[in-house]
């Protein structure tokens, strides 16, 4: 803008046009156009013409507003599409207003934009605005910076990931020989780690094993960091880093509005200086020059929790780390109660990091002051933390033992972490393999689906992944996992049902809801003849080469720490049906059922008579003292005897001796009614006599034992009937005795027997004029009370007088 006067004139003209447009829109909204269209048919074509004209204007304005921003404009084929795509229109308007706000700030002088060569990159001054809470910086609606990269990320590549290295500094093996293909366990060809040899043969600096006093850190409040956002500033930083002996590194990552994620910020600190590098610049791959420092084994690189940092550096920047020291592994070996970086900063530096900014949208430019300070604090104190932890590792090491050097243990774990490789996330439609496949999701979140539901689940899962790759959005930004399972269970067939079970509904999901609804309908029809969920999962587990663990000891099944960090991208593969250790033989029952019996769901016939038919000997003392008795002496294989069970000393002391005399006495009387002596029938007495005779003779007759156990149905019914009759007789007798006792008690209390004298009412004392002073006098005779019987009756609850609201009127005739 040339002058303030020109800006003022443009502002006035735009304001006048906006006022007229707003008034016209308000007048149109106040009219009942539907009524006018129905009452006057000639107005209908005119309204349709104006609708088409306004939609065309809206399309042109939206396309102009999103030009160069990476935002997909909403489709407006008709007037009804405005309501469906309203969220997309709002996004376009918000982006337009943000750009206008930035231009106004530049015009008023809040932001001064100069050429990159004229910038002073020695210090970074954050944008001076009113501070916002941390949640206000999460999930911002800003243009995608990856669309401006020199190499735009692609999400549909099927070839193996080729390392981004242009040169290989500090190489032992040349770059050409390092990039060889190999076939890992999953069967897909991948390129080797280009610095594998250098990491394995790295020799750490001698200072890593020396205990020296920690070097104090510079005050955080009185120092600042250098913001690196130009190639010139990057080269100046590189020159200073080459002179350092130790550096601390950390990354800030964004994975909401990107399918594979973005390294949005890098922080590097030495003992004297801090840098914050903007890794969202189009020339971001030029940061590979930092490999001169990152791959130098004589410069120690201190990270905290670098598991994903190693992957992100390779994928986005082509950076590799040789000489890594991860403070997370140090805190684990030292047995700290917490392993987070915030805990280490509080423990050693007495600094409380504002971890609420960890989930902020790190694509925001320019960075707010608090986000800038938080990023800087992650590495400003890390070298001081390393000094203290190194000394503690040296103090607690036991060099006399083979694995007693804790420093070597941390360095070995750090090497394995640095050897990780980035692999592209391929989608396997049929098997669902991979970290983001449907098989892995079902294994982690077990669910029981029918054929149709399982088909819908796989179809929606594939549709979500394809749309996320196309729009370069994360899977959760398209549809949450909860919404995915809800859609699979409900199988909606219309738009209201789909939107009702898809909460939270993203803007992209709303725009493509019609396409998703068609996928659901097709999958439901095809799923009627599709495979069962359990059968497919079982076949997939065998196809993945899962080995049986039934015959392995438990120690070989539990993974070690070394194998846990070997490959982060290999999915965890296990079957839903085989999650426990099993054996084919039981020490008690012998051989169990066949393995396929439970899998095929065989229904065994239920026996009609559950009566015990196995002859068992009587539980006499001879059985327990005999050493040759057993359940089955003809077993094919002898059972392993575990030996005598160990007893506690308290149990041994409490055991009675032969000279002890016990008197068993039931305190408080009998607790259960004694039953009458029941005479056994002659048949039962005969069987008991024969069984007792056989026991006394020392021979057990299995025939009579079986007859004793298996009573006939007729005898059982007769005994039960006789027992019920005796119980009924006892009840009647008790009832008669109870009534007789009540009658005698009533006669005694009231004196109503036939021999009582007739009451003389003439000579009786007055009840109405009785002397009240003598009523409650101690020792006086209780006065006669003629209403004593009526007073013994139960009293009813007193009626409460409730107040009725309003007025009451008494009518008289």
């Amino acid at each position: 803008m040339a002058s303030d006067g020109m800006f003022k004139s443009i502002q006035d003209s735009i304001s006048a046009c906006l006022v007229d447009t707003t008034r016209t829109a308000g007048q149109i909204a106040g009219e009942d156009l539907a009524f006018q269209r129905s009452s006057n048919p000639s107005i209908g074509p005119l309204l349709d013409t104006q609708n088409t004209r306004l939609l065309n204007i809206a399309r042109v304005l939206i396309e102009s507003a999103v030009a160069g921003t990476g935002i997909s404009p909403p489709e407006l084929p008709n007037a009804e599409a405005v309501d469906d795509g309203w969220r997309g229109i709002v996004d376009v308007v918000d982006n337009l207003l943000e750009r206008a706000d930035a231009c106004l700030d530049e015009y008023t002088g809040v932001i001064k934009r100069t050429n990159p060569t004229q910038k002073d990159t020695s210090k970074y001054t954050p944008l001076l605005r009113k501070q916002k809470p941390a949640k206000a910086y999460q999930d911002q609606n800003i243009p995608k910076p990856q669309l401006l990269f020199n190499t735009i990320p692609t999400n549909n590549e099927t070839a193996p990931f080729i390392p981004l290295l242009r040169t290989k500094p500090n190489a032992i093996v040349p770059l050409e020989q390092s990039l060889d293909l190999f076939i890992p366990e999953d069967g897909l060809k991948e390129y080797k780690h280009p610095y594998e040899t250098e990491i394995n043969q790295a020799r750490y600096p001698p200072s890593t094993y020396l205990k020296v006093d920690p070097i104090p850190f510079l005050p955080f409040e009185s120092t600042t960091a250098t913001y690196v956002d130009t190639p010139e500033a990057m080269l100046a930083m590189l020159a200073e880093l080459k002179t350092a002996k130790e550096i601390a590194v950390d990354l800030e990552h964004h994975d909401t509005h990107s399918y594979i994620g973005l390294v949005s910020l890098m922080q590097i600190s030495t003992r004297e200086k801090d840098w914050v590098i903007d890794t969202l610049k189009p020339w971001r791959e030029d940061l590979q020059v930092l490999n001169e420092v990152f791959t130098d084994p004589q410069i120690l690189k201190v990270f905290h929790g670098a598991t994903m940092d190693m992957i992100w550096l390779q994928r986005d920047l082509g950076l590799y780390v040789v000489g890594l020291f991860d403070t997370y592994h140090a805190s684990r070996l030292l047995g700290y109660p917490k392993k987070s970086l915030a805990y280490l900063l509080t423990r050693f530096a007495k600094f409380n990091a504002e971890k609420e900014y960890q989930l902020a949208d790190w694509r925001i430019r320019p960075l707010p002051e608090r986000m800038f300070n938080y990023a800087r604090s992650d590495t400003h104190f890390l070298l001081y933390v390393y000094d203290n932890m190194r000394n503690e590792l040296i103090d607690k090491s036991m060099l006399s033992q083979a694995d007693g050097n804790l420093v070597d243990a941390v360095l070995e774990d750090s090497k394995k972490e640095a050897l990780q490789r980035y692999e592209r996330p391929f989608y396997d439609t049929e098997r669902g393999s991979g970290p983001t496949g449907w098989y892995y999701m079902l294994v982690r979140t077990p669910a029981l689906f029918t054929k149709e539901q399982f088909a819908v689940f796989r179809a929606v899962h594939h549709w979500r992944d394809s749309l996320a790759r196309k729009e370069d959005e994360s899977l959760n930004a398209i549809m949450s996992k909860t919404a995915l399972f809800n859609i699979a269970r409900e199988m909606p067939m219309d738009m209201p049902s789909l939107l009702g079970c898809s909460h939270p509904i993203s803007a992209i999901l709303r725009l493509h809801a019609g396409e998703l609804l068609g996928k659901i309908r097709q999958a439901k029809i095809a799923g009627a003849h599709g495979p069962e969920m359990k059968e497919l999962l079982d076949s997939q587990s065998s196809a993945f080469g899962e080995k049986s663990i039934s015959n392995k000891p438990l120690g070989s099944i539990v993974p070690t720490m070394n194998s846990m960090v070997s490959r982060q991208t290999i999915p965890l593969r296990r079957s839903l049906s085989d999650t426990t250790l099993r054996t084919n033989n039981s020490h008690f029952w012998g051989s169990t059922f066949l393995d396929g019996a439970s899998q095929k769901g065989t229904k065994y016939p239920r026996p009609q008579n559950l009566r015990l038919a196995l002859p068992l000997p009587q539980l006499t003392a001879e059985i327990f003292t005999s050493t040759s008795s057993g359940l089955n002496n003809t077993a094919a294989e002898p059972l392993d005897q575990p030996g005598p069970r160990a007893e506690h000393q308290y149990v041994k002391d409490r055991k009675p001796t032969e000279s002890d005399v016990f008197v068993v006495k039931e305190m408080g009387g009998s607790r259960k009614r004694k039953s009458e002596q029941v005479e056994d029938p002659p048949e039962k007495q005969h069987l008991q006599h024969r069984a007792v005779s056989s026991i006394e003779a020392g021979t057990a007759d299995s025939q009579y034992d079986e007859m004793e156990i298996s009573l006939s149905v007729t005898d059982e019914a007769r005994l039960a009937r006789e027992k019920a009759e005796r119980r009924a007789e006892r009840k009647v007798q008790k009832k008669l005795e109870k009534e007789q006792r009540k009658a005698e008690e009533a006669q005694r209390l009231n004196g109503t027997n036939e021999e009582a004298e007739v009451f003389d009412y003439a000579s009786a004392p007055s009840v109405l004029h009785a002397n009240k002073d003598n009523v409650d006098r101690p020792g006086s005779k209780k006065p006669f009370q003629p209403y004593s019987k009526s007073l013994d009756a139960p009293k009813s609850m007193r009626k409460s007088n409730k107040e009725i609201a309003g007025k009451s009127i008494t009518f008289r005739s």
Side-chain angles (χ1 to χ4, degrees):
M1 298 180 184
S3 63
D4 294 342
M6 182 181 297
F7 176 77
K8 182 65 176 176
S9 61
I10 295 176
Q11 183 182 9
D12 294 340
S13 61
I14 293 177
S15 299
C17 295
L18 290 176
V19 169
D20 295 339
T21 304
T22 305
R23 288 176 179 175
T24 305
Q27 293 175 0
I28 295 175
E31 299 292 338
D32 192 353
L33 298 181
F35 173 75
Q36 298 293 339
R37 181 189 292 270
S38 61
S39 62
N40 190 357
S42 61
I43 298 180
L46 298 177
L47 292 177
D48 295 337
T49 303
Q50 295 300 324
N51 287 338
T52 305
R53 176 174 172 272
L54 292 176
L55 282 175
N56 292 331
I57 294 175
R59 291 195 197 96
V60 173
L61 292 176
I62 291 175
E63 291 176 358
S64 301
V66 300
T69 61
I71 299 178
S72 300
E75 299 178 1
L76 302 176
N78 48 43
E80 288 76 10
V82 176
D83 293 335
D84 297 337
W86 183 250
R87 183 63 182 273
I89 298 174
V90 172
D91 293 342
V92 174
V93 175
D94 289 344
N95 177 66
L96 190 63
L97 293 177
E98 289 176 1
R99 293 167 61 186
D101 186 36
C103 294
L104 291 175
D105 289 341
E106 181 182 355
Y107 173 76
T108 56
V110 176
I111 301 177
K112 294 183 179 180
R113 179 174 297 180
T114 57
N115 295 327
T117 56
Q118 298 175 354
K119 287 186 178 181
D120 183 11
T121 58
S122 61
K123 293 183 179 181
Y124 171 73
T125 303
L127 182 62
L128 299 178
R129 287 185 179 179
K130 184 178 179 180
Q131 298 294 346
K132 298 181 181 180
K135 292 184 179 180
Y137 297 111
Q138 297 181 7
D139 195 11
Q140 298 293 306
N141 185 16
I142 59 179
K144 293 183 178 181
Q146 59 265 37
L147 299 177
L148 302 178
F149 292 165
N150 292 338
T151 302
I152 300 176
T154 54
N155 303 317
N156 295 316
E157 292 288 341
T158 58
F161 174 76
I162 303 176
L164 304 178
L165 283 176
R166 301 170 184 170
T167 59
K168 187 179 178 182
N170 304 304
I172 298 178
V173 179
L175 178 61
E176 294 77 10
Q177 300 179 11
S178 302
L179 302 179
D180 293 335
L181 287 170
F182 77 105
I183 301 177
E185 297 177 0
D186 53 9
L188 300 177
K189 292 184 179 180
E190 298 291 344
Y191 283 93
K192 292 184 178 179
H193 194 292
Y195 275 92
E196 181 178 358
T197 305
E198 288 75 10
I199 293 175
N200 290 327
Q201 299 181 9
R203 296 293 180 265
Y204 283 82
S207 59
T208 312
Y209 300 91
L210 297 179
K211 180 181 178 181
V212 295
D213 293 337
I215 301 176
F217 53 83
L218 298 178
F220 187 78
E221 294 78 10
S222 60
T223 57
T224 184
T226 302
Y227 188 69
V228 179
D229 60 348
T230 62
E232 294 79 9
M234 177 190 63
L235 295 177
M237 175 189 65
L238 177 61
E240 296 187 49
L241 291 178
K242 289 181 179 180
T243 61
K245 296 181 179 180
E246 306 99 358
I247 62 173
V249 186
D250 191 30
L251 302 177
E252 303 299 339
H253 190 264
H254 177 80
D255 54 5
T256 302
H257 296 289
S258 174
Y259 183 78
I260 61 175
L262 296 170
V263 176
S264 303
L265 211 65
M266 182 193 298
Q267 306 92 269
I268 303 178
S269 295
T270 60
R271 302 282 184 178
E272 299 82 15
K273 199 170 182 180
D274 302 326
W275 289 271
V276 177
I277 303 100
D278 187 359
T279 58
L280 295 180
K281 294 296 181 180
W283 46 268
R284 61 193 320 233
E285 291 187 11
D286 294 342
L287 289 171
Q288 290 186 28
V289 297
L290 295 178
N291 277 326
E292 299 180 15
V293 175
F294 279 31
T295 60
D296 188 353
Q298 297 304 315
I299 301 177
L300 187 68
K301 274 70 66 176
V302 181
F303 284 72
H304 180 82
T307 300
M308 296 307 301
D309 292 346
M310 300 296 104
I311 299 293
W312 296 338
L313 288 174
Q314 301 173 28
R315 180 196 65 197
D316 292 356
L317 308 177
L319 293 176
Y320 297 84
V321 179
V322 179
L324 172 65
F325 186 100
D326 195 338
T327 54
Y328 169 79
H329 296 299
S331 63
R332 179 178 54 83
L333 291 179
L334 292 174
Y336 288 168
K338 297 180 181 179
K339 283 81 176 175
S340 63
L341 179 59
Y343 171 77
L344 297 181
L345 296 181
T346 305
R347 179 186 179 101
F348 296 108
K350 311 301 180 186
F351 180 83
N352 295 323
E354 296 179 320
K355 281 299 178 182
E356 59 268 19
Y357 290 97
Q358 188 174 11
L359 300 177
D361 192 341
W362 289 99
R363 303 174 303 163
I364 299 176
R365 296 295 184 272
L367 280 175
E369 182 180 3
R370 289 189 177 180
M371 291 178 61
F372 182 82
N373 291 332
Y374 164 77
R376 175 194 169 208
S377 66
D378 283 349
T379 56
H380 181 80
F381 307 95
L382 193 53
L383 291 179
Y384 179 76
V385 172
Y386 154 75
D387 290 342
N388 288 272
M389 300 184 76
R390 176 202 58 207
N391 293 341
E392 192 171 352
L393 289 170
I394 294 174
D395 292 338
K396 294 186 177 181
S397 296
M398 297 187 221
L399 301 181
S400 59
Q401 299 181 3
D403 298 333
N405 194 330
L406 297 182
V407 177
D408 283 341
V410 173
L411 298 180
E412 191 65 25
D413 291 339
S414 301
K415 283 184 178 181
K416 293 173 182 177
E417 207 166 41
L419 286 172
Q420 296 179 109
R421 296 177 299 102
Y422 170 70
E423 299 176 4
R424 284 198 172 102
F426 302 116
Y427 191 86
D428 189 348
T429 306
E430 298 297 330
R431 301 188 305 170
S433 61
T436 59
W438 56 261
Y439 176 81
Y440 190 32
M441 179 178 289
L442 286 178
V443 168
R444 289 182 296 177
T445 309
L448 186 60
F449 290 149
T450 62
K451 291 183 178 181
E452 293 82 359
Q453 291 174 339
F454 185 44
V456 171
F457 175 80
R458 289 192 296 163
V460 176
H461 189 279
H462 186 202
W463 175 85
R464 183 183 70 154
D465 185 87
S466 301
L467 185 60
R469 293 173 185 266
K470 177 182 176 182
E471 299 292 338
D472 198 11
E473 295 281 348
S474 65
L475 296 175
N476 287 330
I478 302 295
M479 179 191 299
S480 64
K481 186 172 72 171
T482 303
L484 175 59
F485 277 89
N486 289 339
I487 292 175
R489 277 188 286 264
E490 299 296 334
M491 294 186 294
M493 293 290 103
D494 51 33
M495 189 62 65
S497 301
L498 174 61
L499 299 179
C501 63
S502 304
H503 290 284
I505 305 174
S506 63
I508 300 179
L509 176 59
R510 190 179 294 273
L511 291 176
H512 297 82
E515 177 185 352
L516 174 60
L517 191 61
K519 295 287 185 181
I520 296 173
R521 292 171 178 171
Q522 296 176 3
K524 184 177 181 180
I525 296 174
H529 306 285
E532 289 284 353
M533 172 182 167
K534 189 177 183 302
E535 295 178 357
L536 187 58
L537 290 180
D538 292 342
S539 63
Q540 293 301 91
S541 63
S542 60
F544 289 150
E546 181 179 354
K547 298 181 180 180
S548 176
I549 59 175
S550 59
N551 298 324
K552 294 183 180 180
L554 185 61
S556 63
I557 298 171
V558 179
T560 60
M561 182 59 64
N562 298 340
S563 61
M564 290 173 63
V565 298
S566 60
R567 292 191 63 188
Q568 297 293 332
T569 56
I570 298 178
L572 179 62
R573 294 158 180 169
R574 58 191 177 102
S575 175
L576 293 177
S577 59
D578 298 329
T579 57
T580 57
L581 302 180
R582 300 182 181 179
T583 178
N584 294 327
N585 295 322
S586 170
H587 288 287
F588 185 77
W589 296 107
S591 299
T592 57
F593 296 106
L594 296 178
D595 295 339
S598 59
Q599 301 292 338
K600 298 178 181 179
T602 305
K603 297 183 178 179
Y604 297 97
R606 183 178 180 180
Q608 298 179 357
N609 189 2
L610 297 179
R611 191 181 299 110
L612 183 62
L614 180 67
L616 296 176
Q618 296 290 335
L619 297 179
T620 59
E622 289 80 0
I623 295 178
F624 295 101
T625 57
S626 178
T627 59
S628 61
S629 60
L631 294 177
N632 188 5
N633 294 330
T634 60
E637 297 179 1
L639 300 179
D640 297 335
Q641 300 295 334
R645 184 177 180 180
E647 294 182 349
H648 196 273
Q649 186 63 30
Y650 177 78
V651 179
K652 297 179 180 179
D653 297 340
R654 297 289 294 176
K655 282 188 174 182
T657 61
E658 296 180 358
S659 60
D660 293 341
V661 178
F662 290 89
V663 178
V664 181
K665 183 178 181 181
E666 184 178 2
M667 305 299 296
S670 178
R671 298 179 182 269
K672 189 175 182 181
R673 184 176 68 252
K674 295 181 179 179
S675 60
E676 299 180 2
Q677 185 69 24
V678 181
E679 183 178 0
D680 294 333
E683 297 83 355
K684 187 173 182 181
Q685 293 180 0
H686 176 67
L687 293 175
Q688 291 179 352
H689 176 71
R690 294 293 302 272
V692 171
S693 299
S694 62
I695 293 174
E696 293 177 354
T699 60
D701 192 351
S702 60
Q703 176 182 1
Y704 291 102
D705 290 341
E706 183 174 359
M707 293 175 62
E708 175 68 20
I709 295 174
S710 304
L711 296 177
S712 62
V713 179
T714 306
D715 295 340
E716 291 179 355
R718 181 172 55 82
L719 293 176
R721 184 172 60 255
E722 293 177 357
K723 187 175 181 180
E725 292 175 356
R726 290 193 296 270
R727 188 183 298 110
E729 292 176 359
R730 288 195 299 269
K731 283 186 177 181
V732 173
Q733 184 66 23
K734 288 182 63 177
K735 187 175 182 180
L736 294 175
E737 294 176 357
K738 186 176 181 181
E739 292 177 354
Q740 184 178 359
R741 287 196 301 269
K742 287 184 178 180
E744 294 176 356
E745 185 69 16
Q747 291 178 2
R748 186 180 62 82
L749 294 177
N750 301 328
T752 57
N753 51 6
E754 297 178 355
E755 300 178 358
E757 297 181 358
V758 180
F759 182 75
D760 188 4
Y761 290 95
S763 60
S766 176
V767 178
L768 298 177
H769 305 286
N771 188 4
K772 297 182 180 180
D773 298 336
N774 298 328
V775 175
D776 297 332
R777 184 178 301 172
S780 61
K781 187 177 179 180
K782 187 176 181 180
F784 174 72
Q785 177 58 268
Y787 304 104
S788 59
K789 290 186 177 181
S790 63
L791 293 177
D792 294 337
K795 297 180 180 181
S796 61
M797 186 177 65
R798 180 179 299 175
K799 184 177 181 181
S800 60
N801 297 327
K802 296 183 179 180
E803 182 179 356
I804 302 175
K807 297 181 180 181
S808 62
I809 301 176
T810 303
F811 296 89
R812 297 180 180 178
S813 59

